Amino acid sequence: MTVTTPGSEDQAERIRGLQRSLKQIRPEVTYFALTLRDSHGRLERSVQSHFAGFPEGVGPGEGIELREASQVYPDKMTRMWEDVGHDWIVVNDVAQLRVFVLLGGHALIAEGIARGHFADLVKPHLCMSKGAVGFMRYHPDAPDSMVRSRRKQKRRIFERDGHRCQRCGAPQADDARTRLEAHHIRPFSKGGPTADPNLITLCRGCNQSIGDGFEPDLYWAAGGPIASGTDTESAEAHREAVENYRRRVERMLRDLTRQ
């Protein structure tokens, strides 16, 4: 299969045609729901999952748990994607899997295909809460677990929140008390990741008053859950992340052909 420039009209129509053709849900097949994207330069591989217990020595409230892939109801899953303007395909065999790996986005993947080709993703694994909803892989030495925040990320959070404190409404100002800061909603010291859904803009005064406390209502402070996920993320943001993924794949294929 030839991959051309994702932004071209011909390529966009070809992708839409592939997506229309890969919609066959087989009633006898059990499906998992997987997503491939590139968000802000980071590859995201995610699966709909459920709670599978706590790792040894970890209990409730610490933000870390074991999760494993969930069997999904295909009609409900695809309806949820469509309700928020996200495209999807169905993967019933290896040939269709190749298309999914090239296109990214959402897919219902037959359980046998998923276990054979995404074994590390569907088996039980350690996760940490992203925010109000959603989970991400937990690695003790990963940047999200080690770094409090990054300058580029802070700018992105401030822009998302309108350059105002999401607790008291104060705008950016020159005095030290109202200077804006990126606050971890689930505290960093309690396993809160340095991920966009767990960060919110607060002035220094509000940030200091909360300290190391956990105020879950802050997840809704910006007019709705700011946690990422299909139920909260705009169709435009999701499409951009999928387009970024396709560009990443295209670059990888170009590099391979040059070797």
Side-chain angles (χ1 to χ4, degrees), residues 16-248:
R16 285 191 290 269
L18 283 169
Q19 289 170 331
R20 287 192 295 268
S21 68
L22 298 177
K23 300 287 186 184
Q24 184 185 9
I25 297 173
R26 298 176 180 171
E28 74 279 8
V29 174
T30 299
Y31 291 99
F32 291 151
L34 275 70
T35 301
L36 299 176
R37 314 184 330 158
D38 181 332
S39 181
H40 305 298
R42 299 180 60 183
L43 178 64
E44 292 183 352
R45 303 185 314 143
S46 60
V47 62
Q48 291 291 314
S49 62
H50 61 269
F51 174 74
F54 292 109
E56 185 177 354
V58 175
E62 297 185 43
I64 303 172
E65 62 185 61
L66 279 169
R67 298 186 69 83
E68 63 180 328
S70 302
Q71 298 177 359
V72 299
Y73 293 101
D75 290 343
K76 291 182 179 180
M77 193 75 242
T78 56
R79 190 181 308 119
M80 185 183 76
W81 286 331
E82 290 174 353
D83 285 348
V84 291
H86 295 187
D87 293 319
W88 55 274
I89 65 173
V90 180
V91 174
N92 290 306
D93 55 44
V94 174
Q96 293 171 345
L97 177 63
R98 295 191 186 102
V99 176
F100 173 55
V101 171
L102 289 174
L103 295 185
H106 299 308
L108 294 176
I109 299 189
E111 182 176 357
I113 298 293
R115 291 195 184 280
H117 296 271
F118 292 97
D120 65 316
L121 194 59
V122 301
K123 69 181 181 182
H125 49 271
L126 283 176
C127 288
M128 61 198 302
S129 173
K130 279 185 177 182
V133 296
F135 292 84
M136 59 194 295
R137 284 294 184 98
Y138 173 72
H139 300 286
D141 57 348
D144 287 331
S145 305
M146 297 177 64
V147 181
R148 287 194 171 270
S149 58
R150 294 168 281 268
R151 184 176 301 175
K152 185 176 180 180
Q153 186 180 33
K154 284 183 179 180
R155 289 199 299 266
R156 188 166 66 242
I157 298 303
F158 293 165
E159 183 176 348
R160 182 199 67 194
D161 293 346
H163 297 277
R164 284 183 174 274
C165 174
Q166 298 300 293
R167 194 165 182 252
C168 72
Q172 177 71 282
D174 292 334
D175 65 285
R177 186 165 180 77
T178 55
R179 191 179 74 179
L180 296 182
E181 299 177 342
H183 171 79
H184 285 69
I185 301 176
R186 180 182 291 278
F188 185 81
S189 62
K190 296 181 174 65
T194 305
D196 288 12
N198 193 51
L199 295 176
I200 192 168
T201 303
L202 295 183
C203 66
R204 173 168 288 188
C206 286
N207 197 2
Q208 290 178 341
S209 71
I210 295 173
D212 212 28
F214 179 33
E215 294 189 3
D217 286 351
L218 289 177
Y219 286 125
W220 284 264
I226 60 173
S228 70
T230 56
D231 56 341
T232 61
E233 186 181 48
S234 71
E236 181 180 355
H238 173 72
R239 280 194 294 269
E240 180 180 357
V242 174
E243 287 295 332
N244 289 340
Y245 172 85
R246 292 171 185 162
R247 294 187 187 97
R248 176 191 284 256

